[in-house]
Amino acid sequence: MAHSEVEPHLIEDHYPLQSHIGFKMTGWDRDYARFELPLEPFLMNRYGIPHGGVYAVLLDTVMGYCGCYTGDPKEKTLAMTLSMNTNFLSRPTGEFLIGEASRIGGGKRTFFAEGTIHDENGTLVATGSGTFRYRSA
Amino acid sequence: MAHSEVEPHLIEDHYPLQSHIGFKMTGWDRDYARFELPLEPFLMNRYGIPHGGVYAVLLDTVMGYCGCYTGDPKEKTLAMTLSMNTNFLSRPTGEFLIGEASRIGGGKRTFFAEGTIHDENGTLVATGSGTFRYRSA
Amino acid sequence: MAHSEVEPHLIEDHYPLQSHIGFKMTGWDRDYARFELPLEPFLMNRYGIPHGGVYAVLLDTVMGYCGCYTGDPKEKTLAMTLSMNTNFLSRPTGEFLIGEASRIGGGKRTFFAEGTIHDENGTLVATGSGTFRYRSA
Amino acid sequence: MAHSEVEPHLIEDHYPLQSHIGFKMTGWDRDYARFELPLEPFLMNRYGIPHGGVYAVLLDTVMGYCGCYTGDPKEKTLAMTLSMNTNFLSRPTGEFLIGEASRIGGGKRTFFAEGTIHDENGTLVATGSGTFRYRSA
């Protein structure tokens, strides 16, 4: 499954949590988004592995964006997460995480998304699904 | 519902993500845990409100700890999150978040937890539930 | 927590699945609903215990109704489930299930609910949460 | 994605809820299961469409079976659902439901599954994910 890289003019300025955690958009298209996150030491939990909440941050981000693509940076679509489910399958063996999500249903008021997190070795680390509500800008 | 504050000798050293996000334990007892998180600017999303993943970080933390109380810092119980569900009810009006969780079931191998996040004004911001697996130390 | 029993004029005719499974409303008030379900033999799975889906049927029902109370049988509020999470804590020791749910948040377009299932012995069998969308009649 | 039909000698006797609701296995292989369910009138809710719990029954069934394939009817693997998440995307336009699930992770004690429900027209009606615990026979 090949996806276009995100066009440079669509990249938004990093918002505060994004800079703080360090994920960045690497793909955005209709009903699809991808972000990557280097596994910096500050993301680790008491066991020395990534905190489960880190996966949730990444999944919430990619799932939210995947339903908001417009292709026009002046015309933004915004969405709020209503609920999100996360499954924690394994721990990563690599050095960064790749989060991808697809919009799988919904209409003008709400949408459904599914997401996955792999590391660069192809290990499936976590999966998620969520319901989102569109909001006015 | 009154809960004992956490006894000082049970407070663990902050792990990396904990220091990076800024939450700290304020209550820990059998089947119960509470953490608080000041809403610093670096937690905000592209809308200027806390990123949904921040609630997930806090819920995963309190739910995980609530099933791992032993009362003895030398005898640690550890757990891994299997799955977690988060519901995003409203945005906080206050300046910090209070996450609380209770272990509501399970046995020696797995446990179930429920958690809530309020702000200091009593606004219910998010709820969560999760399944956890005990692991050896 | 004492709740008013449901007033007789609010009881709706049983719909097909309700008759087929056998649950009936035993409480309905603002932001609250309760249904009961006798554990008939036809609800059992390959292990001879209630099929997990039976708990989901009951939780979806009580959570949906808890957000739709109007007190006026001529003025119906209707809702569709967007997503639902179910946790399976233990198996019942009694002869019927009691499902209860509360609306815990939301607005005019969507709502959030939480539900529990106990048996008549007080055993907590399952919990759930869900997001719902109001629809026009 | 073509899957082998289920081999006749692996088909188990219908258990009570299975007969009562009417779903039947139409595919079973390593890490995969498929069941079908005719949309009989007794499955409908107060709106005349399938009750959300019906999708949960089907998803719980296919997800549970997908992790329990052995290929040998004398050597059964059994599993209990720990938690399940269900998303309700649209209503079916056809006359029966096709539930499919895949085991996507886990080990000897627990497993993770994902499932979908389509109708025979290809409409994606619901999705789900779940965590399961293996049990001894």
Side-chain angles (χ1 to χ4, degrees):
Chain A
M1 183 167 52
H3 285 287
S4 64
E5 298 296 317
V6 58
E7 298 174 59
H9 73 289
L10 293 179
I11 301 274
E12 303 180 354
D13 290 341
H14 287 202
Y15 50 82
L17 187 78
Q18 186 174 2
S19 299
H20 194 63
I21 297 293
F23 48 89
K24 60 174 192 231
M25 179 181 276
T26 56
W28 201 15
D29 210 331
R30 184 153 308 284
D31 298 339
Y32 174 78
R34 184 177 67 225
F35 279 75
E36 294 182 11
L37 172 62
L39 285 170
E40 299 291 348
F42 59 74
L43 300 177
M44 302 302 148
N45 66 11
R46 68 200 279 235
Y47 309 133
I49 56 177
H51 189 288
V54 169
Y55 304 136
V57 168
L58 190 54
L59 284 167
D60 187 36
T61 302
V62 288
M63 291 197 294
Y65 271 92
C66 82
C68 294
Y69 180 84
T70 66
D72 179 354
K74 288 182 211 129
E75 187 194 339
K76 285 198 195 308
T77 295
L78 308 178
M80 305 292 295
T81 315
L82 290 172
S83 69
M84 179 172 63
N85 188 252
T86 311
N87 300 295
F88 303 88
L89 276 71
S90 64
R91 51 181 86 176
T93 60
E95 294 178 0
F96 64 96
L97 301 178
I98 303 157
E100 294 182 287
S102 298
R103 184 190 192 276
I104 60 167
K108 293 188 176 174
R109 300 201 308 180
T110 53
F111 74 90
F112 298 88
E114 279 185 355
T116 58
I117 297 179
H118 292 83
D119 65 13
E120 79 272 24
N121 299 329
T123 304
L124 180 59
V125 174
T127 63
S129 64
T131 56
F132 296 82
R133 185 162 72 87
Y134 288 114
R135 45 173 275 182
S136 46
Chain B
M1 186 167 52
H3 285 286
S4 66
E5 299 296 317
V6 58
E7 297 174 61
H9 73 289
L10 294 179
I11 301 273
E12 303 180 353
D13 289 341
H14 287 201
Y15 51 82
L17 187 77
Q18 186 174 2
S19 299
H20 194 64
I21 298 292
F23 48 90
K24 60 172 193 233
M25 180 181 275
T26 57
W28 200 15
D29 211 333
R30 186 155 308 283
D31 298 341
Y32 173 80
R34 185 178 64 225
F35 279 75
E36 293 182 11
L37 172 62
L39 286 169
E40 299 292 348
F42 59 73
L43 300 176
M44 303 302 148
N45 67 9
R46 69 201 279 237
Y47 310 134
I49 58 177
H51 189 288
V54 170
Y55 304 137
V57 169
L58 190 54
L59 284 167
D60 187 36
T61 302
V62 289
M63 292 197 294
Y65 271 92
C66 82
C68 293
Y69 180 85
T70 65
D72 179 353
K74 288 182 211 128
E75 187 195 337
K76 286 199 197 305
T77 295
L78 308 178
M80 304 294 295
T81 315
L82 290 171
S83 69
M84 180 173 62
N85 188 252
T86 312
N87 300 295
F88 303 88
L89 277 72
S90 64
R91 48 180 89 173
T93 59
E95 294 179 358
F96 64 95
L97 300 178
I98 302 157
E100 295 181 286
S102 298
R103 185 190 193 274
I104 60 167
K108 292 187 178 177
R109 300 200 307 178
T110 53
F111 73 91
F112 298 89
E114 279 185 356
T116 58
I117 297 178
H118 292 83
D119 65 14
E120 78 272 23
N121 300 328
T123 304
L124 180 60
V125 174
T127 63
S129 65
T131 56
F132 297 81
R133 186 161 73 87
Y134 288 114
R135 45 173 274 180
S136 46
Chain C
M1 185 167 51
H3 286 287
S4 64
E5 299 295 317
V6 57
E7 298 174 59
H9 72 288
L10 294 179
I11 301 274
E12 304 180 353
D13 289 342
H14 287 202
Y15 51 81
L17 186 77
Q18 186 174 3
S19 299
H20 194 63
I21 298 291
F23 49 90
K24 61 173 191 231
M25 180 181 275
T26 57
W28 201 15
D29 210 331
R30 186 154 307 283
D31 298 339
Y32 173 80
R34 185 176 67 225
F35 280 75
E36 294 182 11
L37 172 62
L39 285 169
E40 299 291 349
F42 59 74
L43 300 177
M44 303 302 148
N45 66 12
R46 67 201 281 235
Y47 309 133
I49 58 177
H51 190 288
V54 169
Y55 304 136
V57 168
L58 189 53
L59 284 167
D60 187 37
T61 302
V62 289
M63 292 197 293
Y65 271 91
C66 83
C68 294
Y69 180 85
T70 66
D72 179 353
K74 288 181 211 129
E75 186 195 339
K76 286 199 196 306
T77 295
L78 308 178
M80 305 293 294
T81 315
L82 290 172
S83 70
M84 180 171 64
N85 187 252
T86 311
N87 300 295
F88 303 88
L89 276 72
S90 64
R91 49 181 87 176
T93 60
E95 292 178 359
F96 64 95
L97 301 178
I98 303 158
E100 294 181 288
S102 298
R103 185 191 194 276
I104 59 166
K108 292 188 175 174
R109 300 200 308 180
T110 52
F111 74 90
F112 298 88
E114 280 186 355
T116 58
I117 298 179
H118 292 83
D119 66 13
E120 79 273 24
N121 299 330
T123 304
L124 180 60
V125 174
T127 62
S129 64
T131 55
F132 296 82
R133 186 161 72 87
Y134 288 114
R135 44 174 275 180
S136 45
Chain D
M1 187 166 52
H3 285 285
S4 64
E5 298 297 317
V6 58
E7 296 174 59
H9 72 288
L10 294 178
I11 300 274
E12 303 180 353
D13 289 341
H14 287 202
Y15 52 81
L17 187 77
Q18 186 173 3
S19 299
H20 195 63
I21 297 292
F23 49 90
K24 61 173 191 231
M25 180 181 274
T26 57
W28 200 16
D29 211 331
R30 185 153 311 280
D31 299 339
Y32 174 80
R34 185 177 65 225
F35 280 75
E36 293 182 11
L37 172 61
L39 286 169
E40 298 291 347
F42 58 74
L43 300 177
M44 303 301 149
N45 67 9
R46 69 200 280 237
Y47 309 133
I49 57 178
H51 190 287
V54 169
Y55 304 136
V57 168
L58 189 54
L59 284 168
D60 187 38
T61 302
V62 288
M63 291 197 294
Y65 271 92
C66 81
C68 294
Y69 180 85
T70 66
D72 179 353
K74 289 182 211 128
E75 187 196 337
K76 286 200 197 304
T77 295
L78 308 178
M80 305 291 295
T81 315
L82 290 171
S83 69
M84 180 173 62
N85 187 251
T86 312
N87 300 294
F88 303 89
L89 278 71
S90 63
R91 49 180 88 175
T93 59
E95 293 179 359
F96 65 95
L97 300 178
I98 303 157
E100 294 181 288
S102 298
R103 185 189 192 278
I104 59 166
K108 291 187 177 175
R109 300 201 309 179
T110 52
F111 73 91
F112 298 88
E114 280 185 354
T116 58
I117 298 179
H118 292 83
D119 66 13
E120 79 273 24
N121 299 329
T123 304
L124 180 59
V125 174
T127 64
S129 64
T131 56
F132 297 81
R133 184 162 73 87
Y134 288 114
R135 44 174 275 181
S136 46

